[in-house]
């Protein structure tokens, strides 16, 4: 069995954003030379997510609105975590949107269902953060 590891780095210029990272994951898969196996993609930070969904801007606006209803950023003082920090909402949003995804690798390609794309969800940006790609197989 082969294994391959790569970190993808991001510095998002806003507090929150959704970024389609499918091209970077496909590039990592090509680099790995693995044809059959599994690909794990996880955020390495507790205020960011990796998830799979549709690359549709209306849906992304709906995610933002929905997450702000569930865990509004402001007022910062509403959260017990925000003593010397202001990112409690980002931890909660990360928990809702998830830490990682696993995609099957078949014939050297990510074996997606229709419209599936991989996203990095940033909830506390403006600094360098990373995503781990780990691929195992043969
Ligand atoms: Zn925090």
């Amino acid at each position: 069995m082969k294994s391959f590891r790569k970190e993808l780095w991001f510095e998002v210029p806003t507090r929150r954003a959704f970024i389609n990272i499918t091209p970077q994951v496909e590039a990592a898969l090509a680099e790995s030379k693995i044809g059959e196996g599994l690909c794990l993609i996880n955020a390495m930070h507790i205020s960011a997510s990796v998830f799979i969904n549709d690359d549709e801007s209306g849906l992304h606006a709906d995610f933002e609105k929905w997450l702000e209803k569930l865990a509004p950023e402001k007022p910062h003082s509403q959260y017990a975590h925000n003593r010397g920090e202001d990112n409690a909402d980002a931890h909660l949003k990360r928990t809702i949107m998830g830490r990682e995804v696993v995609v099957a690798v078949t014939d050297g390609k990510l074996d997606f269902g229709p419209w599936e794309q991989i996203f990095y969800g940033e909830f506390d940006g403006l600094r360098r953060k990373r995503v781990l790609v780990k691929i195992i197989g043969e």
Side-chain angles (χ1 to χ4, degrees):
M1 191 195 74
K2 286 197 277 190
S3 87
F4 177 86
R5 180 187 192 277
K6 184 165 195 161
E7 292 177 2
L8 308 176
W9 286 84
F10 301 93
E11 186 164 359
V12 176
T14 51
R15 182 169 168 115
R16 286 189 292 279
F18 298 123
I19 298 167
N20 187 339
I21 61 169
T22 310
Q24 290 98 312
V25 176
E26 285 172 340
L29 177 57
E31 198 183 326
S32 76
K33 308 252 190 282
I34 290 172
E36 296 292 326
L38 291 173
C39 179
L40 164 80
I41 307 109
N42 70 269
M44 297 184 83
H45 301 264
I46 52 180
S47 54
S49 287
V50 170
F51 63 95
I52 290 182
N53 219 301
D54 194 2
D55 195 0
E56 197 280 307
S57 59
L59 178 66
H60 296 182
D62 291 337
F63 276 139
E64 165 67 17
K65 228 164 92 184
W66 178 64
L67 290 167
E68 272 299 289
K69 265 188 225 161
L70 291 170
E73 180 195 337
K74 290 174 179 158
H76 292 148
S77 60
Q78 74 188 299
Y79 296 107
H81 177 68
N82 285 347
R83 285 175 301 234
E85 283 196 74
D86 68 357
N87 69 353
D89 70 301
H91 292 286
L92 298 176
K93 286 165 177 143
R94 184 274 169 109
T95 302
I96 294 163
M97 296 305 284
R99 171 183 182 264
E100 78 276 308
V101 299
V102 176
V103 182
V105 174
T106 304
D107 206 13
K109 301 266 183 274
L110 297 171
D111 202 341
F112 286 132
W115 304 108
E116 285 191 328
Q117 294 283 288
I118 306 164
F119 292 90
Y120 175 65
E122 178 60 83
F123 305 116
D124 186 20
L126 306 161
R127 58 201 167 94
R128 271 168 62 74
K129 291 162 81 169
R130 65 209 154 121
V131 165
L132 176 66
V133 179
K134 181 89 181 193
I135 308 168
I136 57 170
E138 51 191 16

